[in-house]
Amino acid sequence: KQWYQRRVAIPSFMKFFFGETRGYAVEYSIVDPVEQTLTLRSQNINAVSMFAMREEIRYKSVGETTQLNHEAEFLFSVSRIVDEAAENWLVGTITEAARKGLMAMESISVKVEEEMELALTAIDDISTETIRSVDSFTTDARKSIDSSIMDAEKFIDSSITDAEKFIDLSIECIDSSVNFPESGVRC
């Protein structure tokens, strides 16, 4: 619920009836997330003795887009003092205000949609970059593991070769000292 004041440019012949050029109204905003509607209801609170104006505007989401349907209903109770020119001016002013309200809501919905698309694109970019980083990390880890395995295999092969050489040399030493003890060969 909101109370608002608005300065209105009114024709000079109406200043006699209204005196000042400020209009006062009460507005209720109702958001229905289930029905996906925004309803604005307003009613004047000054010059009520001359006329009563109630306005109801409904904005409804259409499908998955943010385009809006606009319905406006104006109810006037105009006293006999206010002539046809004043009534026509009021209807024209209210119609123009409703048109501007619709344009503002459509502009907001377009902006929200653009921001959502930017956010979704950013999320997609982040997701793609994260997947690339994980893939790169996985590839690097595999290469590192493969390299470590190859180094370990080389070390083991080298150790086995060294052990075989040592064993062969030890056997030769033992054989030579058993067969030729006087040779003086030390193993």
Side-chain angles (χ1 to χ4, degrees):
K1 181 176 176 180
Q2 163 180 330
W3 176 85
Y4 63 93
Q5 168 185 318
R6 181 174 175 205
R7 189 167 296 281
V8 182
I10 61 174
S12 58
F13 71 90
M14 292 183 70
K15 287 184 182 177
F16 172 77
F17 300 110
F18 298 108
E20 61 178 305
T21 60
R22 275 182 275 181
Y24 299 93
V26 174
E27 179 177 270
Y28 297 88
S29 301
I30 304 162
V31 176
D32 184 344
V34 174
E35 293 294 320
Q36 296 184 346
T37 60
L38 167 64
T39 303
L40 304 173
R41 291 182 181 152
S42 60
Q43 180 171 344
N44 66 307
I45 55 176
N46 69 328
V48 183
S49 63
M50 305 294 245
F51 71 95
M53 190 263 327
R54 289 188 326 191
E55 177 183 21
E56 185 171 300
I57 301 173
R58 269 190 205 95
Y59 300 95
K60 179 169 179 61
S61 182
V62 179
E64 292 192 19
T65 66
T66 54
Q67 293 180 349
L68 303 171
N69 288 336
H70 175 243
E71 300 170 20
E73 181 180 346
F74 305 102
L75 302 173
F76 290 97
S77 300
V78 181
S79 71
R80 287 183 230 169
I81 301 172
V82 180
D83 64 4
E84 186 179 337
E87 185 176 347
N88 289 340
W89 176 84
L90 286 170
V91 170
T93 300
I94 293 167
T95 301
E96 180 63 17
R99 186 186 67 75
K100 287 179 181 177
L102 177 60
M103 287 174 53
M105 290 303 292
E106 287 176 347
S107 172
I108 290 168
S109 67
V110 166
K111 183 70 174 168
V112 167
E113 188 173 289
E114 288 170 355
E115 292 295 325
M116 288 299 295
E117 285 182 27
L118 286 173
L120 290 174
T121 300
I123 290 170
D124 286 346
D125 291 347
I126 290 170
S127 296
T128 301
E129 190 58 37
T130 302
I131 290 169
R132 283 187 192 139
S133 294
V134 168
D135 287 347
S136 175
F137 176 76
T138 303
T139 301
D140 290 347
R142 283 186 181 143
K143 287 178 182 176
S144 178
I145 290 169
D146 289 346
S147 175
S148 295
I149 289 172
M150 287 176 51
D151 289 346
E153 287 173 347
K154 286 179 186 176
F155 176 75
I156 291 170
D157 288 345
S158 172
S159 296
I160 291 172
T161 302
D162 290 346
E164 287 173 344
K165 286 180 185 176
F166 178 75
I167 291 170
D168 288 345
L169 192 67
S170 295
I171 291 173
E172 282 179 27
C173 251
I174 291 171
D175 283 348
S176 68
S177 65
V178 169
N179 293 336
F180 305 104
E182 67 278 345
S183 68
V185 175
R186 290 192 173 176
C187 296

mmCIF file of all heavy atoms in Angstrom, residues 54-73:
data_model
loop_
_atom_site.group_PDB
_atom_site.id
_atom_site.type_symbol
_atom_site.label_atom_id
_atom_site.label_comp_id
_atom_site.label_asym_id
_atom_site.label_seq_id
_atom_site.Cartn_x
_atom_site.Cartn_y
_atom_site.Cartn_z
ATOM 1 N N ARG A 54 -11.355 5.038 -9.884
ATOM 2 C CA ARG A 54 -10.616 3.859 -9.456
ATOM 3 C C ARG A 54 -9.987 3.245 -10.699
ATOM 4 O O ARG A 54 -10.617 3.162 -11.749
ATOM 5 C CB ARG A 54 -11.537 2.833 -8.797
ATOM 6 C CG ARG A 54 -12.014 3.270 -7.453
ATOM 7 C CD ARG A 54 -12.740 2.189 -6.741
ATOM 8 N NE ARG A 54 -13.491 1.348 -7.676
ATOM 9 C CZ ARG A 54 -14.381 0.456 -7.305
ATOM 10 N NH1 ARG A 54 -14.645 0.279 -6.055
ATOM 11 N NH2 ARG A 54 -15.020 -0.265 -8.207
ATOM 12 N N GLU A 55 -8.768 2.830 -10.535
ATOM 13 C CA GLU A 55 -8.034 2.252 -11.667
ATOM 14 C C GLU A 55 -7.467 0.910 -11.219
ATOM 15 O O GLU A 55 -6.972 0.770 -10.104
ATOM 16 C CB GLU A 55 -6.891 3.181 -12.081
ATOM 17 C CG GLU A 55 -6.040 2.629 -13.193
ATOM 18 C CD GLU A 55 -4.879 3.549 -13.532
ATOM 19 O OE1 GLU A 55 -4.495 4.385 -12.694
ATOM 20 O OE2 GLU A 55 -4.342 3.403 -14.630
ATOM 21 N N GLU A 56 -7.579 -0.060 -12.085
ATOM 22 C CA GLU A 56 -6.967 -1.361 -11.823
ATOM 23 C C GLU A 56 -6.224 -1.777 -13.082
ATOM 24 O O GLU A 56 -6.799 -1.839 -14.158
ATOM 25 C CB GLU A 56 -8.029 -2.403 -11.466
ATOM 26 C CG GLU A 56 -7.419 -3.738 -11.081
ATOM 27 C CD GLU A 56 -8.451 -4.690 -10.518
ATOM 28 O OE1 GLU A 56 -9.088 -4.374 -9.496
ATOM 29 O OE2 GLU A 56 -8.606 -5.761 -11.133
ATOM 30 N N ILE A 57 -4.937 -2.036 -12.905
ATOM 31 C CA ILE A 57 -4.105 -2.449 -14.035
ATOM 32 C C ILE A 57 -3.502 -3.800 -13.674
ATOM 33 O O ILE A 57 -2.951 -3.968 -12.593
ATOM 34 C CB ILE A 57 -2.982 -1.431 -14.311
ATOM 35 C CG1 ILE A 57 -3.592 -0.059 -14.612
ATOM 36 C CG2 ILE A 57 -2.103 -1.892 -15.457
ATOM 37 C CD1 ILE A 57 -2.571 1.040 -14.738
ATOM 38 N N ARG A 58 -3.626 -4.746 -14.585
ATOM 39 C CA ARG A 58 -3.046 -6.075 -14.370
ATOM 40 C C ARG A 58 -1.995 -6.343 -15.425
ATOM 41 O O ARG A 58 -2.244 -6.190 -16.610
ATOM 42 C CB ARG A 58 -4.129 -7.149 -14.506
ATOM 43 C CG ARG A 58 -4.792 -7.495 -13.240
ATOM 44 C CD ARG A 58 -5.669 -8.732 -13.418
ATOM 45 N NE ARG A 58 -6.705 -8.694 -12.414
ATOM 46 C CZ ARG A 58 -7.907 -8.201 -12.616
ATOM 47 N NH1 ARG A 58 -8.254 -7.772 -13.788
ATOM 48 N NH2 ARG A 58 -8.770 -8.161 -11.630
ATOM 49 N N TYR A 59 -0.828 -6.739 -14.946
ATOM 50 C CA TYR A 59 0.252 -7.171 -15.825
ATOM 51 C C TYR A 59 0.385 -8.678 -15.629
ATOM 52 O O TYR A 59 0.539 -9.150 -14.508
ATOM 53 C CB TYR A 59 1.565 -6.485 -15.457
ATOM 54 C CG TYR A 59 1.499 -4.979 -15.563
ATOM 55 C CD1 TYR A 59 1.221 -4.191 -14.457
ATOM 56 C CD2 TYR A 59 1.703 -4.358 -16.792
ATOM 57 C CE1 TYR A 59 1.155 -2.821 -14.558
ATOM 58 C CE2 TYR A 59 1.638 -2.975 -16.894
ATOM 59 C CZ TYR A 59 1.359 -2.215 -15.775
ATOM 60 O OH TYR A 59 1.312 -0.865 -15.884
ATOM 61 N N LYS A 60 0.286 -9.431 -16.711
ATOM 62 C CA LYS A 60 0.361 -10.891 -16.616
ATOM 63 C C LYS A 60 1.426 -11.399 -17.571
ATOM 64 O O LYS A 60 1.469 -11.026 -18.727
ATOM 65 C CB LYS A 60 -0.979 -11.527 -16.948
ATOM 66 C CG LYS A 60 -0.945 -13.058 -16.883
ATOM 67 C CD LYS A 60 -2.334 -13.637 -16.943
ATOM 68 C CE LYS A 60 -2.325 -15.132 -16.915
ATOM 69 N NZ LYS A 60 -1.761 -15.759 -15.770
ATOM 70 N N SER A 61 2.290 -12.257 -17.044
ATOM 71 C CA SER A 61 3.333 -12.871 -17.855
ATOM 72 C C SER A 61 2.672 -13.796 -18.872
ATOM 73 O O SER A 61 1.728 -14.519 -18.560
ATOM 74 C CB SER A 61 4.294 -13.656 -16.954
ATOM 75 O OG SER A 61 5.325 -14.197 -17.724
ATOM 76 N N VAL A 62 3.156 -13.783 -20.107
ATOM 77 C CA VAL A 62 2.597 -14.609 -21.168
ATOM 78 C C VAL A 62 3.596 -15.712 -21.477
ATOM 79 O O VAL A 62 4.671 -15.449 -22.001
ATOM 80 C CB VAL A 62 2.320 -13.771 -22.443
ATOM 81 C CG1 VAL A 62 1.758 -14.653 -23.537
ATOM 82 C CG2 VAL A 62 1.377 -12.637 -22.120
ATOM 83 N N GLY A 63 3.244 -16.949 -21.128
ATOM 84 C CA GLY A 63 4.156 -18.068 -21.391
ATOM 85 C C GLY A 63 5.457 -17.882 -20.641
ATOM 86 O O GLY A 63 5.479 -17.463 -19.501
ATOM 87 N N GLU A 64 6.544 -18.206 -21.318
ATOM 88 C CA GLU A 64 7.859 -18.087 -20.690
ATOM 89 C C GLU A 64 8.532 -16.771 -21.035
ATOM 90 O O GLU A 64 9.663 -16.531 -20.647
ATOM 91 C CB GLU A 64 8.741 -19.264 -21.106
ATOM 92 C CG GLU A 64 8.233 -20.570 -20.531
ATOM 93 C CD GLU A 64 9.232 -21.689 -20.674
ATOM 94 O OE1 GLU A 64 10.423 -21.414 -20.872
ATOM 95 O OE2 GLU A 64 8.800 -22.843 -20.588
ATOM 96 N N THR A 65 7.848 -15.919 -21.786
ATOM 97 C CA THR A 65 8.434 -14.622 -22.129
ATOM 98 C C THR A 65 8.045 -13.608 -21.061
ATOM 99 O O THR A 65 7.217 -13.875 -20.201
ATOM 100 C CB THR A 65 7.932 -14.131 -23.507
ATOM 101 O OG1 THR A 65 6.533 -13.883 -23.409
ATOM 102 C CG2 THR A 65 8.200 -15.160 -24.581
ATOM 103 N N THR A 66 8.645 -12.455 -21.160
ATOM 104 C CA THR A 66 8.338 -11.404 -20.189
ATOM 105 C C THR A 66 7.415 -10.351 -20.794
ATOM 106 O O THR A 66 7.297 -9.271 -20.264
ATOM 107 C CB THR A 66 9.639 -10.749 -19.699
ATOM 108 O OG1 THR A 66 10.392 -10.314 -20.811
ATOM 109 C CG2 THR A 66 10.429 -11.717 -18.858
ATOM 110 N N GLN A 67 6.777 -10.678 -21.906
ATOM 111 C CA GLN A 67 5.804 -9.742 -22.461
ATOM 112 C C GLN A 67 4.606 -9.701 -21.526
ATOM 113 O O GLN A 67 4.269 -10.682 -20.888
ATOM 114 C CB GLN A 67 5.360 -10.190 -23.850
ATOM 115 C CG GLN A 67 6.464 -10.129 -24.871
ATOM 116 C CD GLN A 67 5.992 -10.586 -26.234
ATOM 117 O OE1 GLN A 67 4.917 -11.132 -26.376
ATOM 118 N NE2 GLN A 67 6.825 -10.362 -27.222
ATOM 119 N N LEU A 68 3.986 -8.549 -21.459
ATOM 120 C CA LEU A 68 2.913 -8.376 -20.490
ATOM 121 C C LEU A 68 1.607 -8.026 -21.184
ATOM 122 O O LEU A 68 1.591 -7.346 -22.201
ATOM 123 C CB LEU A 68 3.287 -7.260 -19.512
ATOM 124 C CG LEU A 68 4.599 -7.465 -18.757
ATOM 125 C CD1 LEU A 68 4.952 -6.211 -17.996
ATOM 126 C CD2 LEU A 68 4.485 -8.641 -17.827
ATOM 127 N N ASN A 69 0.525 -8.517 -20.609
ATOM 128 C CA ASN A 69 -0.806 -8.096 -21.040
ATOM 129 C C ASN A 69 -1.233 -6.979 -20.098
ATOM 130 O O ASN A 69 -0.942 -7.018 -18.906
ATOM 131 C CB ASN A 69 -1.802 -9.247 -20.933
ATOM 132 C CG ASN A 69 -1.577 -10.284 -21.991
ATOM 133 O OD1 ASN A 69 -1.020 -9.997 -23.038
ATOM 134 N ND2 ASN A 69 -1.994 -11.512 -21.722
ATOM 135 N N HIS A 70 -1.926 -6.013 -20.641
ATOM 136 C CA HIS A 70 -2.315 -4.860 -19.840
ATOM 137 C C HIS A 70 -3.825 -4.716 -19.908
ATOM 138 O O HIS A 70 -4.400 -4.677 -20.985
ATOM 139 C CB HIS A 70 -1.620 -3.615 -20.392
ATOM 140 C CG HIS A 70 -2.036 -2.358 -19.729
ATOM 141 N ND1 HIS A 70 -2.663 -1.341 -20.386
ATOM 142 C CD2 HIS A 70 -1.933 -1.946 -18.448
ATOM 143 C CE1 HIS A 70 -2.901 -0.352 -19.567
ATOM 144 N NE2 HIS A 70 -2.480 -0.705 -18.375
ATOM 145 N N GLU A 71 -4.439 -4.690 -18.759
ATOM 146 C CA GLU A 71 -5.876 -4.462 -18.677
ATOM 147 C C GLU A 71 -6.083 -3.297 -17.715
ATOM 148 O O GLU A 71 -5.507 -3.287 -16.635
ATOM 149 C CB GLU A 71 -6.588 -5.694 -18.108
ATOM 150 C CG GLU A 71 -6.397 -6.952 -18.927
ATOM 151 C CD GLU A 71 -6.904 -8.188 -18.188
ATOM 152 O OE1 GLU A 71 -7.717 -8.042 -17.252
ATOM 153 O OE2 GLU A 71 -6.469 -9.275 -18.551
ATOM 154 N N ALA A 72 -6.856 -2.347 -18.150
ATOM 155 C CA ALA A 72 -7.124 -1.220 -17.260
ATOM 156 C C ALA A 72 -8.630 -0.979 -17.233
ATOM 157 O O ALA A 72 -9.307 -1.093 -18.247
ATOM 158 C CB ALA A 72 -6.391 0.023 -17.731
ATOM 159 N N GLU A 73 -9.132 -0.664 -16.076
ATOM 160 C CA GLU A 73 -10.551 -0.399 -15.913
ATOM 161 C C GLU A 73 -10.681 0.902 -15.132
ATOM 162 O O GLU A 73 -10.088 1.060 -14.072
ATOM 163 C CB GLU A 73 -11.198 -1.547 -15.134
ATOM 164 C CG GLU A 73 -12.669 -1.378 -14.929
ATOM 165 C CD GLU A 73 -13.257 -2.551 -14.151
ATOM 166 O OE1 GLU A 73 -12.586 -3.588 -14.010
ATOM 167 O OE2 GLU A 73 -14.378 -2.411 -13.671
#
